[in-house]
Amino acid sequence: MNMDVLVSLSKRRGFVFQSSEIYGGTGSCWDYGPLGVELKNNIKRVWWRDFVQARADMVGIDASILMHPTVWKASGHLDHFTDPMVDCRECRRRFRADHVDAVAWTHYCPATKGNKFTIPAGEPCGHCGQRRTLCPECGKGELTAPRQFNLMFKTFMGPVEEDAAMTYLRPETAQAMFVNFDNVLQSMRLKLPFGIAQAGRSFRNEITPGNFIFRTREFEQMEIEFFVNPNDRVEGRPADEYWHDRWIEDCMAWFKRYGLREENLRLREHERDELAHYAKRTVDIEYNFPIGWSELMGIANRTDFDLKQHAKWSGKSLTYFDEERKEHVVPFVVEPAAGVDRALLAFMADAYREEEVRGEKRVVLRLHPELAPLKVAVLPLLKKRDDIVRAAHEIRATLARQWRVVYDDTAAIGRLYRRQDEVGTPYCVTVDVQTIGDAERGERGDGRATIRERDSMEQIRVPIPELPAVFRELLDGGAWQQVAGRYPPARG
Ligand SMILES: [Zn+2]
Ligand SMILES: [Zn+2]
């Protein structure tokens, strides 16, 4: 499966649009459309439910994006959150110094009277043997020596644009959990181990963003800071190491539960030399994206680095009183950090299938019902019959009190099913003559609607008053086969 297929489906069906598209787009910014926002909200909602609501050892916060500028001094972002950049003196393009040889380069070859060639990344010219020294884009300009470029977006607080008023858009949500550590600990009377979660926007002025919503300058994170007592031991191991492994397992299981296939997931241990300066150990969960194996989320053991740094810079104590040992300790922290946009991309890529049904191609997004943007589509079989249309609208209105449900009568039924398959709607309900009957012929309806399941395409006849209970069961994780077994199959 390639990324263009997803980009095109996303635009055509209202999942993701390029930001400010009518103005030619904004670099690496994307807008979620009507279906995209539902999918994204569903991902965040199940994450919050499973990792915060359902657990006794977790609480959440929602912090502001603008924080005190000293936060970024203490966290190390001001000094270390940089990439080495080089600039072209001719065309002014900017490149990451360590990526400049990873792109194809433009070459005006002296051996062929200056003809222009595009030469594959890292290779020399086949005519003159030269290697790239100039700008890979324009092929003419010299590159500057590498300079450190900070990835944080700067902005100004208040009416005066001066250095003293400078602040930053947060590059991660994590720091809010550290600076609020004592507020949360005291207000909620927590005992270690416990975690603080947050889902929210972060900003990084990436120089080489790209690959659709995989790497963007504005993105959403779902982060957890899980604090443990470094003096405790669990199952014979240091508590931080035990909990690190637990979180790796739990996160991996979470992605599988909502549909990512085992063969598309793997763990990758960070090498010593790629570990962040604060980390004792970091493991990435990688997903086999259309662009290849890449990071889906990271789970880091950040030790006591952050709390110690903020204690030092703020002058406030950020410790926990260990009742048993009668001493103050600085907790260690394990950080499972996931990107919402990246998770959404993985769920969509994994769900995408092209199938053949009775000689016809169908595209289906086999999204987990809890993630699917639309839960049910109500489709009248005859839109000329007022009584059928009215019954369909009534069913939609009843179900829409609990779920995102749509009504569609703008095409023939086969077409309507394909449309819903393509956006992952798990169930369709149709209302037909059999449901309503035909007064002119003196035929009574059976009062049943047809439910069609997306993956098996099986259909059952269910009495209209029972639809809410049936969908409650199905959308709460009930198996289709179990529910379908209680009702007669639909004719045809
Ligand atoms: Zn250039
Ligand atoms: Zn050459």
Side-chain angles (χ1 to χ4, degrees), residues 268-279:
R268 190 181 71 83
E269 194 88 28
H270 280 215
E271 306 285 343
R272 284 234 143 273
D273 59 357
E274 67 175 314
L275 278 180
H277 56 284
Y278 49 75

Side-chain angles (χ1 to χ4, degrees), residues 45 101 139 346:
R45 184 163 46 237
D101 274 320

Side-chain angles (χ1 to χ4, degrees), residues 86-100:
V86 294
D87 293 307
C88 172
R89 295 187 197 279
E90 279 291 317
C91 70
R92 305 279 158 203
R93 289 267 310 210
R94 182 169 272 185
F95 308 89
R96 261 180 71 162
D98 50 343
H99 285 178
V100 72

Side-chain angles (χ1 to χ4, degrees), residues 107 109-110 125 128:
H107 173 57
C109 183
C125 170
C128 69

Side-chain angles (χ1 to χ4, degrees), residues 171-245:
E172 61 175 29
T173 61
Q175 296 304 321
M177 277 79 106
F178 301 128
V179 304
N180 279 302
F181 172 79
D182 201 52
N183 282 337
V184 173
L185 178 68
Q186 300 307 334
S187 61
M188 304 307 288
R189 303 176 182 284
L190 298 167
K191 295 264 175 278
L192 288 178
F194 69 86
I196 308 177
Q198 177 174 211
R201 292 199 187 240
S202 294
F203 302 81
R204 295 179 187 178
N205 197 8
E206 303 272 2
I207 300 310
T208 47
N211 290 318
F212 194 32
I213 53 171
F214 180 79
R215 179 172 285 110
T216 53
R217 294 193 168 105
E218 175 178 349
F219 54 101
E220 259 188 286
Q221 293 184 294
M222 304 184 287
E223 290 197 294
I224 292 167
E225 305 302 324
F226 195 78
F227 298 96
V228 305
N229 189 332
N231 299 321
D232 282 350
R233 294 184 80 80
V234 187
E235 295 179 3
R237 304 170 58 204
D240 61 310
E241 295 179 13
Y242 167 84
W243 281 105
H244 195 186
D245 280 331

Side-chain angles (χ1 to χ4, degrees), residues 105 107-112 117 119 125-130:
W105 56 288
H107 173 57
Y108 293 93
C109 183
T112 62
F117 297 100
I119 298 178
C125 170
H127 303 284
C128 69
Q130 273 182 24

Side-chain angles (χ1 to χ4, degrees), residues 134 140 199 253 353 424:
L134 302 173
K140 290 177 179 161
R353 313 289 160 85

